[in-house]
Coordinates of all heavy atoms in Angstrom, one line a residue:
M1 N 120.1 123.1 74.9 CA 120.0 123.7 76.2 C 119.3 122.7 77.2 O 118.2 122.2 76.8 CB 119.2 125.0 76.1 CG 119.3 125.8 77.3 SD 118.2 127.3 77.2 CE 119.3 128.4 76.3
D2 N 119.9 122.5 78.3 CA 119.3 121.5 79.2 C 118.2 122.2 80.1 O 118.1 123.4 80.1 CB 120.3 120.8 80.1 CG 121.1 121.7 81.0 OD1 121.1 122.9 80.7 OD2 121.6 121.2 82.0
L3 N 117.5 121.4 80.8 CA 116.3 121.9 81.5 C 116.7 122.9 82.6 O 116.0 123.9 82.8 CB 115.6 120.7 82.2 CG 114.1 121.0 82.6 CD1 113.3 121.2 81.5 CD2 113.6 119.8 83.5
L4 N 117.8 122.7 83.3 CA 118.2 123.6 84.4 C 118.5 125.0 83.9 O 118.1 126.0 84.4 CB 119.4 123.0 85.1 CG 119.5 123.4 86.6 CD1 118.4 122.8 87.4 CD2 120.9 123.0 87.1
A5 N 119.2 125.0 82.7 CA 119.6 126.3 82.2 C 118.3 127.0 81.7 O 118.2 128.2 81.8 CB 120.5 126.0 81.0
L6 N 117.4 126.2 81.1 CA 116.2 126.8 80.6 C 115.4 127.4 81.8 O 114.8 128.5 81.7 CB 115.3 125.7 80.0 CG 114.2 126.2 79.0 CD1 114.8 126.8 77.8 CD2 113.4 125.0 78.6
L7 N 115.4 126.7 82.9 CA 114.7 127.2 84.1 C 115.3 128.4 84.6 O 114.6 129.4 85.0 CB 114.7 126.1 85.2 CG 113.6 126.1 86.3 CD1 112.3 125.7 85.7 CD2 114.0 125.2 87.4
G8 N 116.6 128.5 84.6 CA 117.4 129.6 85.1 C 117.0 130.9 84.2 O 116.8 131.9 84.8
W9 N 117.0 130.6 82.9 CA 116.7 131.7 82.0 C 115.3 132.3 82.2 O 115.1 133.4 82.2 CB 116.9 131.3 80.6 CG 118.2 131.5 80.0 CD1 119.1 130.5 79.5 CD2 118.9 132.7 79.9 NE1 120.2 131.1 79.1 CE2 120.2 132.4 79.3 CE3 118.6 134.0 80.2 CZ2 121.1 133.4 79.0 CZ3 119.6 135.0 79.9 CH2 120.8 134.7 79.3
S10 N 114.4 131.3 82.5 CA 113.0 131.7 82.7 C 112.8 132.5 83.9 O 112.1 133.6 83.9 CB 112.1 130.5 82.7 OG 112.2 129.8 81.5
L11 N 113.5 132.1 85.0 CA 113.4 132.9 86.2 C 114.1 134.3 86.1 O 113.5 135.3 86.5 CB 114.2 132.1 87.4 CG 113.4 131.0 88.0 CD1 114.3 130.2 88.9 CD2 112.2 131.6 88.8
F12 N 115.2 134.3 85.4 CA 115.8 135.5 85.1 C 114.9 136.4 84.3 O 114.8 137.6 84.6 CB 117.1 135.2 84.3 CG 118.0 136.4 84.1 CD1 118.6 137.1 85.2 CD2 118.3 136.8 82.8 CE1 119.4 138.2 85.0 CE2 119.1 137.9 82.6 CZ 119.7 138.6 83.7
G13 N 114.3 135.9 83.3 CA 113.4 136.6 82.4 C 112.2 137.2 83.2 O 111.8 138.3 83.0
A14 N 111.7 136.3 84.2 CA 110.6 136.8 85.0 C 111.0 138.0 85.8 O 110.2 138.9 86.0 CB 110.1 135.6 85.9
L15 N 112.2 137.9 86.4 CA 112.6 139.1 87.2 C 112.7 140.3 86.3 O 112.3 141.4 86.7 CB 114.0 138.8 87.8 CG 114.0 137.8 89.0 CD1 115.4 137.5 89.4 CD2 113.3 138.5 90.2
I16 N 113.3 140.2 85.2 CA 113.4 141.3 84.2 C 112.0 141.8 83.9 O 111.8 143.0 83.9 CB 114.2 140.9 83.0 CG1 115.6 140.5 83.3 CG2 114.1 142.0 81.9 CD1 116.5 141.7 83.7
G17 N 111.1 140.9 83.6 CA 109.7 141.2 83.3 C 109.1 142.1 84.4 O 108.4 143.0 84.1
V18 N 109.3 141.7 85.6 CA 108.7 142.4 86.7 C 109.2 143.8 86.8 O 108.5 144.8 86.9 CB 109.0 141.7 88.1 CG1 108.6 142.6 89.3 CG2 108.2 140.4 88.1
S19 N 110.5 144.0 86.7 CA 111.1 145.3 86.8 C 110.7 146.1 85.5 O 110.4 147.3 85.7 CB 112.6 145.2 86.9 OG 113.3 145.3 85.7
A20 N 110.6 145.5 84.4 CA 110.1 146.2 83.2 C 108.7 146.7 83.4 O 108.3 147.8 83.0 CB 110.3 145.3 82.0
A21 N 107.9 145.8 83.9 CA 106.5 146.1 84.2 C 106.3 147.3 85.1 O 105.5 148.2 84.8 CB 105.8 144.9 84.7
Q22 N 107.1 147.3 86.1 CA 107.0 148.4 87.1 C 107.4 149.7 86.4 O 106.9 150.8 86.6 CB 107.8 148.1 88.3 CG 107.1 147.2 89.2 CD 108.1 146.6 90.3 OE1 109.3 146.8 90.3 NE2 107.5 145.9 91.2
R23 N 108.5 149.6 85.6 CA 109.0 150.8 85.0 C 108.1 151.3 83.9 O 108.0 152.5 83.7 CB 110.3 150.4 84.3 CG 111.5 151.3 84.6 CD 112.7 150.8 83.9 NE 112.8 151.2 82.6 CZ 113.9 151.8 82.0 NH1 115.0 151.9 82.7 NH2 113.9 152.1 80.8
R24 N 107.4 150.4 83.2 CA 106.6 150.9 82.1 C 105.2 151.0 82.4 O 104.4 151.4 81.5 CB 106.9 149.9 80.9 CG 108.3 150.0 80.4 CD 108.6 149.0 79.3 NE 107.8 149.4 78.2 CZ 107.7 148.6 77.1 NH1 108.4 147.5 77.0 NH2 107.0 148.9 76.1
G25 N 104.8 150.6 83.6 CA 103.4 150.9 84.0 C 102.4 149.8 83.6 O 101.2 150.1 83.6
F26 N 102.8 148.6 83.2 CA 101.8 147.6 83.0 C 101.9 146.6 84.1 O 102.7 146.7 85.0 CB 101.9 146.9 81.6 CG 103.2 146.4 81.2 CD1 103.6 145.1 81.6 CD2 104.0 147.1 80.3 CE1 104.9 144.6 81.3 CE2 105.3 146.6 80.0 CZ 105.7 145.4 80.4
S27 N 100.9 145.6 84.2 CA 100.8 144.8 85.3 C 101.9 143.9 85.5 O 102.6 143.4 84.6 CB 99.5 144.0 85.3 OG 99.7 142.9 84.5
T28 N 102.2 143.6 86.8 CA 103.3 142.8 87.2 C 103.1 141.4 86.6 O 104.1 140.7 86.2 CB 103.5 142.7 88.7 OG1 103.5 144.1 89.2 CG2 104.8 142.0 89.1
T29 N 101.9 140.9 86.7 CA 101.5 139.6 86.2 C 101.9 139.4 84.7 O 102.5 138.4 84.3 CB 100.0 139.3 86.3 OG1 99.6 139.7 87.6 CG2 99.8 137.8 86.2
A30 N 101.6 140.4 83.9 CA 102.0 140.4 82.5 C 103.5 140.4 82.4 O 104.0 139.7 81.5 CB 101.4 141.6 81.8
G31 N 104.2 141.1 83.2 CA 105.6 141.1 83.2 C 106.2 139.8 83.5 O 107.1 139.3 82.8
V32 N 105.7 139.1 84.5 CA 106.2 137.8 84.9 C 105.9 136.8 83.7 O 106.8 136.0 83.3 CB 105.5 137.3 86.2 CG1 105.8 135.8 86.5 CG2 105.9 138.2 87.3
L33 N 104.7 136.8 83.2 CA 104.3 135.9 82.2 C 105.2 136.1 80.9 O 105.7 135.2 80.3 CB 102.8 136.0 81.8 CG 101.9 135.4 82.8 CD1 100.4 135.7 82.4 CD2 102.1 133.9 82.9
G34 N 105.3 137.4 80.6 CA 106.1 137.7 79.4 C 107.6 137.3 79.6 O 108.2 136.7 78.7
G35 N 108.1 137.5 80.8 CA 109.4 137.1 81.1 C 109.6 135.6 81.1 O 110.6 135.1 80.5
L36 N 108.7 134.9 81.6 CA 108.7 133.4 81.6 C 108.7 132.9 80.2 O 109.4 131.9 79.9 CB 107.6 132.8 82.4 CG 107.7 132.9 83.9 CD1 106.5 132.4 84.6 CD2 108.9 132.0 84.4
L37 N 107.9 133.4 79.4 CA 107.8 133.0 78.0 C 109.0 133.3 77.2 O 109.4 132.5 76.4 CB 106.5 133.5 77.4 CG 105.2 133.0 77.9 CD1 104.0 133.8 77.3 CD2 105.0 131.5 77.5
L38 N 109.4 134.5 77.4 CA 110.5 135.0 76.5 C 111.9 134.7 77.0 O 112.8 134.6 76.2 CB 110.3 136.6 76.3 CG 109.1 137.0 75.5 CD1 108.9 138.5 75.6 CD2 109.1 136.5 74.1
G39 N 112.0 134.6 78.3 CA 113.3 134.3 78.9 C 114.4 135.3 78.5 O 114.1 136.5 78.8
P40 N 115.5 134.9 77.9 CA 116.5 135.9 77.6 C 116.1 137.0 76.6 O 116.6 138.1 76.6 CB 117.6 135.0 77.0 CG 117.0 133.7 76.6 CD 115.8 133.6 77.6
L41 N 115.1 136.7 75.9 CA 114.6 137.7 74.9 C 114.0 138.9 75.7 O 114.1 140.0 75.2 CB 113.5 137.1 74.0 CG 114.0 136.4 72.8 CD1 112.8 135.7 72.0 CD2 114.7 137.3 71.9
A42 N 113.4 138.6 76.8 CA 112.8 139.7 77.7 C 113.9 140.6 78.1 O 113.7 141.8 78.1 CB 112.1 139.1 78.9
F43 N 115.0 140.1 78.4 CA 116.2 140.8 78.8 C 116.6 141.8 77.7 O 116.8 143.0 77.9 CB 117.3 139.9 79.1 CG 118.6 140.6 79.7 CD1 118.5 141.1 80.9 CD2 119.7 140.6 78.9 CE1 119.6 141.7 81.5 CE2 120.8 141.3 79.4 CZ 120.8 141.8 80.7
L44 N 116.6 141.3 76.4 CA 116.9 142.1 75.3 C 115.9 143.2 75.1 O 116.2 144.4 74.9 CB 117.0 141.3 74.0 CG 118.4 140.6 73.8 CD1 118.2 139.6 72.6 CD2 119.4 141.6 73.4
M45 N 114.6 142.8 75.2 CA 113.5 143.7 74.9 C 113.6 144.9 76.0 O 113.2 146.0 75.7 CB 112.2 143.0 75.0 CG 111.9 142.3 73.7 SD 110.4 141.3 73.9 CE 109.2 142.6 73.9
Y46 N 113.9 144.5 77.2 CA 114.0 145.5 78.3 C 115.0 146.6 77.9 O 114.7 147.8 78.1 CB 114.4 144.7 79.6 CG 114.6 145.7 80.7 CD1 113.5 146.2 81.4 CD2 115.9 146.0 81.2 CE1 113.6 147.0 82.5 CE2 116.0 146.8 82.3 CZ 114.9 147.3 82.9 OH 115.0 148.2 84.0
F47 N 116.1 146.2 77.4 CA 117.1 147.2 77.0 C 116.7 148.0 75.8 O 116.9 149.2 75.7 CB 118.5 146.6 76.9 CG 119.2 146.3 78.2 CD1 119.2 145.1 78.7 CD2 119.7 147.4 78.9 CE1 119.8 144.9 80.0 CE2 120.3 147.2 80.1 CZ 120.3 145.9 80.7
V48 N 116.1 147.3 74.8 CA 115.7 148.0 73.6 C 114.6 149.0 74.0 O 114.7 150.1 73.5 CB 115.2 146.9 72.6 CG1 114.5 147.7 71.4 CG2 116.3 146.1 72.1
S49 N 113.6 148.6 74.8 CA 112.6 149.5 75.1 C 113.1 150.6 76.1 O 112.5 151.7 76.1 CB 111.4 148.7 75.8 OG 111.8 148.2 77.0
G50 N 114.1 150.2 76.9 CA 114.6 151.2 77.8 C 115.2 152.4 77.2 O 115.2 153.5 77.7
V51 N 115.8 152.2 76.0 CA 116.4 153.4 75.3 C 115.5 154.1 74.4 O 115.8 155.2 73.9 CB 117.7 152.9 74.5 CG1 118.7 152.4 75.4 CG2 117.3 151.9 73.5
T52 N 114.3 153.6 74.2 CA 113.3 154.3 73.4 C 112.7 155.4 74.1 O 112.0 155.2 75.1 CB 112.2 153.3 72.9 OG1 112.8 152.1 72.5 CG2 111.4 153.9 71.7
K53 N 112.9 156.6 73.6 CA 112.4 157.8 74.3 C 110.8 157.8 74.3 O 110.2 158.3 75.2 CB 112.9 159.1 73.6 CG 112.6 160.3 74.3 CD 113.3 161.5 73.6 CE 113.0 162.8 74.3 NZ 111.8 163.4 74.0
D54 N 110.3 157.2 73.2 CA 108.9 157.2 73.0 C 108.1 156.5 74.2 O 107.0 156.7 74.4 CB 108.6 156.4 71.8 CG 107.2 156.7 71.2 OD1 106.9 157.9 71.2 OD2 106.5 155.8 70.8
D55 N 108.9 155.7 75.0 CA 108.3 154.9 76.0 C 108.3 155.6 77.4 O 107.7 155.0 78.3 CB 109.0 153.5 76.1 CG 108.0 152.4 75.9 OD1 107.1 152.6 75.0 OD2 108.0 151.4 76.6
Q56 N 108.9 156.7 77.4 CA 108.9 157.4 78.7 C 107.5 158.0 79.0 O 106.9 158.5 78.2 CB 109.9 158.6 78.7 CG 111.3 158.0 78.7 CD 112.4 159.1 78.8 OE1 112.1 160.3 78.6 NE2 113.6 158.8 79.2
R57 N 107.1 157.8 80.3 CA 105.8 158.2 80.6 C 105.8 159.1 81.8 O 106.7 159.1 82.6 CB 105.0 156.9 80.9 CG 104.9 156.1 79.7 CD 103.9 155.0 79.8 NE 103.8 154.4 78.4 CZ 102.7 154.4 77.7 NH1 101.6 154.8 78.2 NH2 102.6 153.8 76.6
R58 N 104.7 159.8 82.0 CA 104.5 160.6 83.2 C 103.0 160.6 83.5 O 102.2 160.1 82.8 CB 105.0 162.0 82.9 CG 104.2 162.7 81.8 CD 104.7 164.2 81.7 NE 104.2 164.8 80.5 CZ 103.8 166.1 80.4 NH1 104.0 166.8 81.4 NH2 103.4 166.6 79.3
K59 N 102.7 161.1 84.7 CA 101.4 161.0 85.2 C 100.6 162.3 84.8 O 101.1 163.4 85.0 CB 101.4 160.9 86.7 CG 100.2 160.2 87.3 CD 100.3 160.3 88.8 CE 100.2 158.9 89.5 NZ 100.2 159.1 90.9
C60 N 99.4 162.1 84.3 CA 98.6 163.3 84.0 C 98.2 163.9 85.3 O 97.7 163.2 86.2 CB 97.4 162.8 83.2 SG 96.1 164.1 83.0
P61 N 98.4 165.2 85.4 CA 98.0 165.9 86.7 C 96.5 166.0 86.9 O 96.1 166.3 88.0 CB 98.7 167.3 86.5 CG 98.8 167.5 85.1 CD 99.0 166.1 84.4
F62 N 95.7 165.8 85.9 CA 94.3 165.9 86.0 C 93.6 164.6 86.4 O 92.7 164.6 87.2 CB 93.7 166.5 84.7 CG 94.3 167.9 84.4 CD1 95.2 167.9 83.3 CD2 94.0 169.0 85.1 CE1 95.8 169.1 83.0 CE2 94.6 170.2 84.8 CZ 95.5 170.3 83.7
C63 N 94.0 163.6 85.6 CA 93.3 162.3 85.9 C 94.2 161.2 86.4 O 93.7 160.1 86.7 CB 92.6 161.8 84.6 SG 93.8 161.4 83.3
A64 N 95.5 161.5 86.6 CA 96.4 160.6 87.2 C 96.7 159.4 86.4 O 97.3 158.4 86.9 CB 96.0 160.3 88.7
E65 N 96.3 159.4 85.1 CA 96.6 158.2 84.3 C 98.0 158.4 83.7 O 98.5 159.5 83.6 CB 95.6 158.1 83.1 CG 94.2 157.7 83.6 CD 94.1 156.3 83.9 OE1 95.1 155.5 83.6 OE2 93.1 155.9 84.5
Q66 N 98.7 157.3 83.3 CA 100.0 157.4 82.6 C 99.8 157.8 81.2 O 99.1 157.3 80.4 CB 100.7 156.0 82.7 CG 101.0 155.6 84.1 CD 102.1 156.3 84.7 OE1 103.1 156.6 84.1 NE2 102.0 156.7 86.0
V67 N 100.6 158.9 80.8 CA 100.6 159.3 79.4 C 102.0 159.4 79.0 O 103.0 159.4 79.8 CB 99.9 160.7 79.3 CG1 98.4 160.6 79.5 CG2 100.5 161.7 80.2
K68 N 102.2 159.5 77.7 CA 103.6 159.6 77.2 C 104.2 161.0 77.6 O 103.5 162.0 77.7 CB 103.6 159.5 75.7 CG 103.4 158.1 75.2 CD 103.5 157.9 73.7 CE 103.3 156.5 73.3 NZ 103.3 156.3 71.9
A69 N 105.5 160.9 77.9 CA 106.2 162.1 78.3 C 106.1 163.3 77.3 O 106.1 164.4 77.7 CB 107.7 161.8 78.6
D70 N 106.0 162.9 76.1 CA 106.0 164.0 75.0 C 104.6 164.4 74.7 O 104.4 165.3 73.9 CB 106.6 163.5 73.8 CG 108.2 163.3 74.0 OD1 108.7 164.0 74.8 OD2 108.8 162.5 73.2
A71 N 103.6 163.8 75.3 CA 102.2 164.2 75.0 C 101.9 165.6 75.3 O 102.3 166.2 76.3 CB 101.2 163.2 75.8
I72 N 101.0 166.2 74.5 CA 100.6 167.6 74.7 C 99.2 167.6 75.3 O 98.8 168.4 76.1 CB 100.6 168.4 73.4 CG1 102.0 168.4 72.8 CG2 100.2 169.8 73.7 CD1 102.1 168.8 71.4
V73 N 98.4 166.6 74.8 CA 97.1 166.5 75.3 C 96.9 165.1 75.9 O 97.4 164.1 75.4 CB 96.0 166.7 74.2 CG1 94.6 166.3 74.6 CG2 96.1 168.1 73.7
C74 N 96.3 165.0 77.1 CA 96.1 163.7 77.7 C 95.1 162.8 76.9 O 94.0 163.3 76.5 CB 95.5 163.9 79.2 SG 95.1 162.4 80.0
K75 N 95.5 161.6 76.7 CA 94.6 160.7 75.9 C 93.4 160.2 76.7 O 92.5 159.6 76.2 CB 95.4 159.6 75.3 CG 95.9 158.6 76.3 CD 96.5 157.3 75.7 CE 97.1 156.4 76.7 NZ 97.6 155.2 76.1
H76 N 93.5 160.4 78.0 CA 92.4 159.8 78.8 C 91.3 160.9 79.1 O 90.2 160.7 79.0 CB 93.0 159.3 80.2 CG 94.0 158.2 80.0 ND1 93.6 156.9 79.7 CD2 95.3 158.3 80.0 CE1 94.7 156.2 79.6 NE2 95.8 157.0 79.7
C77 N 91.8 162.1 79.5 CA 90.8 163.1 79.9 C 90.8 164.3 78.9 O 90.0 165.2 79.0 CB 91.1 163.7 81.3 SG 92.6 164.5 81.5
H78 N 91.7 164.2 77.9 CA 91.8 165.2 76.8 C 92.0 166.6 77.2 O 91.6 167.6 76.6 CB 90.5 165.1 75.9 CG 90.2 163.7 75.5 ND1 91.0 163.1 74.5 CD2 89.3 162.8 75.8 CE1 90.5 161.9 74.3 NE2 89.5 161.7 75.1
R79 N 92.7 166.8 78.4 CA 93.1 168.1 78.8 C 94.5 168.4 78.3 O 95.3 167.5 78.1 CB 93.1 168.2 80.3 CG 91.7 168.1 80.9 CD 91.8 168.8 82.2 NE 90.7 168.3 83.1 CZ 90.3 169.1 84.2 NH1 90.9 170.2 84.4 NH2 89.4 168.6 85.0
E80 N 94.8 169.7 78.2 CA 96.1 170.1 77.8 C 97.1 169.9 78.9 O 96.8 170.3 80.1 CB 96.1 171.5 77.4 CG 96.4 171.7 75.9 CD 96.4 173.2 75.5 OE1 97.4 173.8 75.8 OE2 95.4 173.6 74.8
L81 N 98.2 169.2 78.6 CA 99.2 168.9 79.7 C 100.2 170.0 79.7 O 100.6 170.6 78.7 CB 99.9 167.6 79.4 CG 99.0 166.4 79.4 CD1 99.6 165.2 78.8 CD2 98.6 166.0 80.8
P82 N 100.7 170.3 80.9 CA 101.7 171.3 81.1 C 103.0 170.8 80.4 O 103.2 169.6 80.3 CB 101.9 171.5 82.6 CG 101.3 170.2 83.2 CD 100.3 169.8 82.2
P83 N 103.9 171.7 80.0 CA 105.2 171.3 79.4 C 105.9 170.3 80.3 O 105.9 170.3 81.5 CB 106.0 172.6 79.2 CG 105.0 173.6 79.4 CD 103.9 173.1 80.2
T84 N 106.6 169.4 79.6 CA 107.4 168.3 80.3 C 108.4 168.9 81.2 O 109.2 169.7 80.8 CB 108.1 167.4 79.3 OG1 107.2 167.0 78.3 CG2 108.6 166.2 80.0
V85 N 108.3 168.5 82.5 CA 109.4 168.8 83.4 C 110.4 167.7 83.5 O 110.0 166.6 83.7 CB 108.8 169.1 84.8 CG1 109.8 169.6 85.8 CG2 107.6 170.0 84.7
S86 N 111.6 168.0 83.2 CA 112.6 166.9 83.2 C 112.9 166.5 84.6 O 113.8 167.0 85.3 CB 113.9 167.3 82.5 OG 114.2 168.6 82.9
R87 N 112.1 165.5 85.1 CA 112.2 165.0 86.4 C 111.9 163.5 86.4 O 110.8 163.2 85.9 CB 111.3 165.8 87.4 CG 111.4 165.4 88.8 CD 110.4 166.1 89.6 NE 109.0 165.8 89.1 CZ 107.9 165.9 89.9 NH1 108.0 166.2 91.1 NH2 106.8 165.6 89.4
A88 N 112.7 162.7 86.9 CA 112.5 161.3 86.9 C 111.3 161.0 87.8 O 111.3 161.4 89.0 CB 113.7 160.5 87.4
S89 N 110.3 160.2 87.3 CA 109.2 159.9 88.1 C 109.4 158.7 89.0 O 110.0 157.7 88.6 CB 107.9 159.6 87.2 OG 108.3 158.7 86.3
Ligands
ZN1 ZN1 94.3 163.0 81.9

């Protein structure tokens, strides 16, 4: 693989990393770094993680932290969460 192709892949990976970061609630910087390091692998991971139901998150109504969509009790404030409302956040 030549340098230009490698650079293209890295940029592509960084873009995917940013969108994955926003979707999954971790920092954009981590997404960019991860994307740059992983390149095309980030792309694959994005799709693999995208189909995992376990990774869906919602906001706790009490402390506003991100919790898993299937959670019954908030891991941050330990309050009982209302049943999942099927609504895209
Ligand atoms: Zn909470």
Side-chain angles (χ1 to χ4, degrees):
M1 192 183 277
D2 65 336
L3 196 67
L4 207 70
L6 199 69
L7 203 74
W9 269 122
S10 297
L11 279 172
F12 188 62
L15 282 173
I16 295 292
V18 169
S19 93
Q22 282 166 353
R23 230 177 84 133
R24 298 178 58 187
F26 54 81
S27 82
T28 309
T29 315
V32 172
L33 283 175
L36 281 172
L37 288 170
L38 294 169
L41 274 175
F43 186 69
L44 275 171
M45 282 174 70
Y46 177 72
F47 279 104
V48 170
S49 66
V51 294
T52 315
K53 191 175 180 277
D54 202 42
D55 238 43
Q56 286 186 345
R57 298 193 172 237
R58 60 176 169 147
K59 207 189 232 181
C60 170
F62 303 106
C63 66
E65 291 285 349
Q66 294 289 315
V67 292
K68 285 185 180 178
D70 291 336
I72 302 164
V73 173
C74 175
K75 68 171 176 178
H76 300 282
C77 64
H78 306 288
R79 289 206 206 202
E80 248 181 71
L81 294 165
T84 311
V85 188
S86 46
R87 186 185 55 157
S89 52

